[in-house]
């Protein structure tokens, strides 16, 4: 071929297969990769990748952009970190299907579960749909800087059929299960990737009510699973509480996936309350796969990091009476007040008032797992660097030290609470999870937890920490890491047209200056509808990110191109199948 849309020249290709890197050119035409090797033809645009790494674009299997996609074209923070495909509708929360009278219910649920302010959703979400197929039709007319895939959110489906009874945690009747199944079938036919659901007490509406899916019976789940089985399409996504009920829920999910021959994916972290359960979960998933069931676990590749600050949702004093009174002041005035010795003494003497919508708030004073954020940020900090350990050496209380740390940087300082995956002050259990052939990186939660968590950057972290910088244990090979973020994630989702650098595959790629690749520090921006705030985290070292053969970012700066589209499940053919046809 004489001419191409884009050619990446001379890079070290890590192709997503898990195989060894090799030097090659990559040529793209019409949104697809057409040549890999020595490319003689010229490109309309060319990128010199000599001395740099070329990978497929990453597939982010666990996001919450369900609202953001209706008002914004950029899927940040995920797309800032080499992600070229996102999957939303996870954890059972979303905005379709939805009757007009139930909009506030779903907004409150998303506000509580995913920490997206009510005013942001009320002003931002453009209600141009009622049914799920209508929601997909709306998205199909929009353009993005990454491709978008979506599950049917179970809580929205339950509310659509049951109304406020869903939030009263009543069991669905047989007729209601039939109706939910019918609606799910229509959604899958329209391109839904299955359904996402939640069985965790941590997921609560902003008024304190548990997520409606917590009341779903096995009969209800069986009806939904049977719908997927009858369609021969779609998967089940579960988030599970790793507490007393975990085994019942995990066994049910695996049993239904096996019976109805549909894939299952569920989240997996090391619970600090029961730090060895992850081994039992993996053993069950491995046994299921050996028996022929397709089951995967979504593994967060670092501690679930709850960020604490004076401008954020949580801090060690977030609901004490005095801090609550001061929280309405502008930051500078609040800091000035908090620097007064008598105010500090008063706040330190108070306890936080329990907030039923913020169960994470119960752990904000776990000072042995609370850390200062270093530059560059260390996601595997030594226990002796914790606020608790520092306070002991200084002979002060950890409350006092944390208070003083929050006032640094004129009150914009952020502390890092390792909420899970760090029970032993080591990421070794996480490394073992990531080595499982049934694991895929996930739980970055891009688009959610806007004032609490900023884990959409986990894909950059995979390369920097696990592939290069880890000093407290074994690392993981770059080919394995790239495979997990690309081909493995694509295969889990049934996206057989992407995740590999080979002719016929989607031209979604990253060009990475690996030696220079580095995560920035989390920071706060106010760029959401109604001036809402969100945490953001950038990275340097991404020379270019390409979606469908079009460069969407260079050196971390968006080009303005928006080649990303809605992807409908069941309409994605692998290159081999295309060739056979």
């Amino acid at each position: 071929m004489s001419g191409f849309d884009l050619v990446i020249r001379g890079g070290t290709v890590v192709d997503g297969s898990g195989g060894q890197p090799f030097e090659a050119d990559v040529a793209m035409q019409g949104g697809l990769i057409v040549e890999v090797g020595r490319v003689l033809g010229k490109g309309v645009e060319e990128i010199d990748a000599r001395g740099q790494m070329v990978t497929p674009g990453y597939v982010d299997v666990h996001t919450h952009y369900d609202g953001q996609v209706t008002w914004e074209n950029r899927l940040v923070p995920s797309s800032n970190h080499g992600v070229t495909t996102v999957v939303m509708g996870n954890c059972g929360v979303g905005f379709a299907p939805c009757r007009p009278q139930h909009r506030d219910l779903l907004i409150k649920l998303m506000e509580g579960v995913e920490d997206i302010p009510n005013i942001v959703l009320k002003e931002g979400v453009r209600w141009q749909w009622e049914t799920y197929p209508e929601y997909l039709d709306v998205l199909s007319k929009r353009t993005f800087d990454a491709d978008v895939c979506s599950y049917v959110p179970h809580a929205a489906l339950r509310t659509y059929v049951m109304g406020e009874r869903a939030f009263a945690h009543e069991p669905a009747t047989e007729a209601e299960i039939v109706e939910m199944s019918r609606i799910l079938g229509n959604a899958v036919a329209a391109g839904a990737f299955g359904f996402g659901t939640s069985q965790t007490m941590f997921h609560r509406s902003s008024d304190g009510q548990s997520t409606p899916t917590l009341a779903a019976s096995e009969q209800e789940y069986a009806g939904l699973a049977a719908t997927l089985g009858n369609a021969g399409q779609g998967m089940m996504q579960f988030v599970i509480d790793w507490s007393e009920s975990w085994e019942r829920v995990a066994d049910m999910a695996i049993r239904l996936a096996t019976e109805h021959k549909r894939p299952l994916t569920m989240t997996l972290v090391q619970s600090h309350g029961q730090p060895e359960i992850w081994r039992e979960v993996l053993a069950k998933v491995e046994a299921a796969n050996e028996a022929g069931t397709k089951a995967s676990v979504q593994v967060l590749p670092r501690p679930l990091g709850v960020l604490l600050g004076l401008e954020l949702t949580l801090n060690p004093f977030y609901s004490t009476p005095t801090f609550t009174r001061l929280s309405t002041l502008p930051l500078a005035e609040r800091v000035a007040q908090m620097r007064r010795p008598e105010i500090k003494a008063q706040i330190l003497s108070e306890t936080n008032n329990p907030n039923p919508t913020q169960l994470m708030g119960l752990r904000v004073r776990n000072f042995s797992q609370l850390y200062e954020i270093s530059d560059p940020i260390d996601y595997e900090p030594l226990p002796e660097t914790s606020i608790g350990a520092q306070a002991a050496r200084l002979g002060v209380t950890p409350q006092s030290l944390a208070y003083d740390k929050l006032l640094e940087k004129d009150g914009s300082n952020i502390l890092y609470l390792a909420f899970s995956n760090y029970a032993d002050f080591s990421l070794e259990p996480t490394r073992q999870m990531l080595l499982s052939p049934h694991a895929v990186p996930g739980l970055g939660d891009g688009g959610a937890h806007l004032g609490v968590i900023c884990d959409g950057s986990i894909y950059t972290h995979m390369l920097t920490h696990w592939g290069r910088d880890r000093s407290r244990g074994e690392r993981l090979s770059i080919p394995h890491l790239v495979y997990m973020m690309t081909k493995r994630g694509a295969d889990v989702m049934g996206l057989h047209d992407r995740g590999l650098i080979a002719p016929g595959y989607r031209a979604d790629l990253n060009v990475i200056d690996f030696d220079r690749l580095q995560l920035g520090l989390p920071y706060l921006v106010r760029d959401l509808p109604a001036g809402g705030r969100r945490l953001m985290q950038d990275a340097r070292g991404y020379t270019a990110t390409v979606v469908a053969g079009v460069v969407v970012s260079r050196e971390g700066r968006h080009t303005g191109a928006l080649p990303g589209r809605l992807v409908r499940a069941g309409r994605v053919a692998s290159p081999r199948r295309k060739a056979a046809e």
Side-chain angles (χ1 to χ4, degrees), residues 158-393:
R158 208 167 195 267
T159 303
Y160 190 80
V161 173
M162 298 177 64
E164 294 192 10
R165 290 181 53 249
F167 281 84
H169 300 101
E170 295 185 21
T173 65
E174 185 173 342
E176 287 169 337
I177 293 172
V178 169
E179 179 64 1
M180 279 188 253
S181 300
R182 182 190 69 79
I183 294 169
L184 176 62
N186 290 340
V188 169
F193 278 74
F195 70 89
T197 191
S198 170
Q199 282 288 308
T200 172
M201 66 176 184
F202 279 96
H203 286 169
R204 293 172 180 252
S205 184
S206 59
D207 58 9
Q209 296 184 85
S210 298
T211 182
T213 59
L214 204 59
S217 65
E218 180 163 349
Q219 181 185 5
E220 182 175 329
Y221 280 117
L224 300 180
T227 298
L228 301 184
N230 292 335
Q233 185 176 309
M235 62 191 299
M236 300 182 291
Q237 182 270 329
F238 273 74
V239 58
I240 297 175
D241 234 354
W242 303 118
S243 57
E244 292 78 10
S245 64
W246 77 268
E247 193 163 19
R248 174 186 62 80
V249 177
D251 285 348
M252 176 194 70
I254 291 171
R255 185 166 57 250
L256 292 176
T258 301
E259 180 180 348
H260 297 287
K261 297 181 172 58
R262 297 316 305 156
L264 165 70
T265 185
M266 54 187 176
T267 54
L268 181 63
V269 296
Q270 183 194 39
S271 164
H272 286 190
Q274 301 196 59
E276 296 302 316
I277 281 180
W278 67 270
R279 298 182 191 277
E280 299 177 52
V281 177
L282 263 188
K284 286 179 180 291
V285 169
E286 288 168 0
N289 278 280
E290 288 173 7
T293 299
K294 291 183 179 179
S296 61
V297 289
Q298 299 179 12
V299 176
L300 187 70
R302 66 193 193 201
L304 194 161
V306 176
L307 301 181
L308 310 182
L310 298 184
E311 294 186 282
L312 304 182
T313 303
L314 297 173
N315 66 67
F317 318 102
Y318 79 106
S319 62
T320 60
T322 301
F323 183 85
T324 300
R325 175 172 56 83
L326 296 175
S327 64
T328 58
L329 295 175
L331 180 63
E333 293 181 32
R334 196 183 329 158
V335 169
Q337 288 292 315
M338 291 180 68
R339 283 180 173 150
R340 294 169 55 192
E342 66 272 23
I343 296 293
K344 176 179 179 180
Q346 183 63 37
I347 290 177
L348 293 186
S349 73
E350 298 171 348
T351 57
N352 285 314
N353 293 319
N355 183 340
T357 69
Q358 275 294 353
L359 294 186
M360 285 183 176
L362 299 175
R363 304 243 308 259
V364 293
R365 295 193 179 188
N366 183 4
F367 295 108
S368 66
Q369 288 281 18
L370 184 61
Y371 303 89
E372 292 184 84
I373 291 180
S374 58
D375 189 6
I377 191 167
D378 183 3
Y379 286 103
E380 195 171 11
L382 292 165
E384 56 264 32
T385 65
S386 72
I387 294 294
Q390 287 187 56
R393 288 195 299 272

Side-chain angles (χ1 to χ4, degrees), residues 31-86:
L32 300 176
I33 297 168
V34 291
E35 284 191 31
V36 179
R38 187 183 176 196
V39 174
L40 299 178
K42 300 295 183 181
V44 173
E45 183 177 1
E46 299 209 355
I47 297 173
D48 183 355
R50 288 174 295 179
Q52 301 186 63
M53 188 162 67
V54 181
T55 75
Y58 312 144
V59 178
D60 189 340
V61 301
H62 195 112
T63 78
H64 294 281
Y65 292 111
D66 310 69
Q68 187 172 324
V69 290
T70 71
W71 73 69
E72 188 172 351
N73 301 98
R74 296 202 60 210
L75 302 178
V76 292
S78 296
S79 60
N80 288 342
H81 297 275
V83 170
T84 55
T85 304
V86 305

